[in-house]
Amino acid sequence: MSRTDSLEMGELTDTAFYILLSLVEAKHGYLIMKSIETMTNNQFSIGPASMYTTIKKLLAAEFIELYKEEEDDKRKRILQRKKGLDC
């Protein structure tokens, strides 16, 4: 089984789990990484490449969605969807 099938099988990687856990409220990428480090007392950290790869997979699986607070806001914030909460 390839790694891309894990979400389809209902399995979360550690990275996906912590990203979903950090998205109780909308956050942009850097804040997601810092939130994960804070909540795990620096025991777990995610680099930008694996974070954005996992975010793409979570978006495709509809566990999260992009969220814009204001029209001129340049940062892409990400918000958890109900499907992501049910994991």
Side-chain angles (χ1 to χ4, degrees):
M1 174 173 62
S2 71
R3 289 186 194 184
T4 56
D5 294 335
S6 64
L7 283 176
E8 292 173 11
M9 300 288 293
E11 299 171 357
L12 294 177
T13 61
D14 291 344
T15 302
F17 172 78
Y18 283 116
I19 288 172
L20 287 172
L21 192 59
S22 72
L23 290 173
V24 174
E25 56 188 40
K27 293 183 174 89
H28 56 82
Y30 181 76
L31 192 52
I32 292 170
M33 290 190 296
K34 289 299 167 190
S35 295
I36 291 169
E37 289 174 2
T38 300
M39 83 172 81
T40 63
N41 294 322
N42 293 319
Q43 297 293 313
F44 192 85
S45 64
I46 298 172
S50 64
M51 181 188 66
Y52 286 112
T53 299
T54 304
I55 285 173
K56 281 184 181 180
K57 292 176 185 178
L58 291 170
L59 283 167
E62 298 182 344
F63 283 25
I64 59 176
E65 63 184 319
L66 293 179
Y67 171 78
K68 275 194 157 187
E69 197 168 279
E70 298 174 14
E71 195 61 36
D72 62 341
D73 194 358
K74 301 236 187 290
R75 290 185 288 191
K76 292 180 182 175
R77 287 188 173 87
I78 301 155
L79 182 64
Q80 195 175 125
R81 298 185 71 184
K82 181 172 176 1
K83 184 176 178 181
L85 289 170
D86 292 339
C87 291

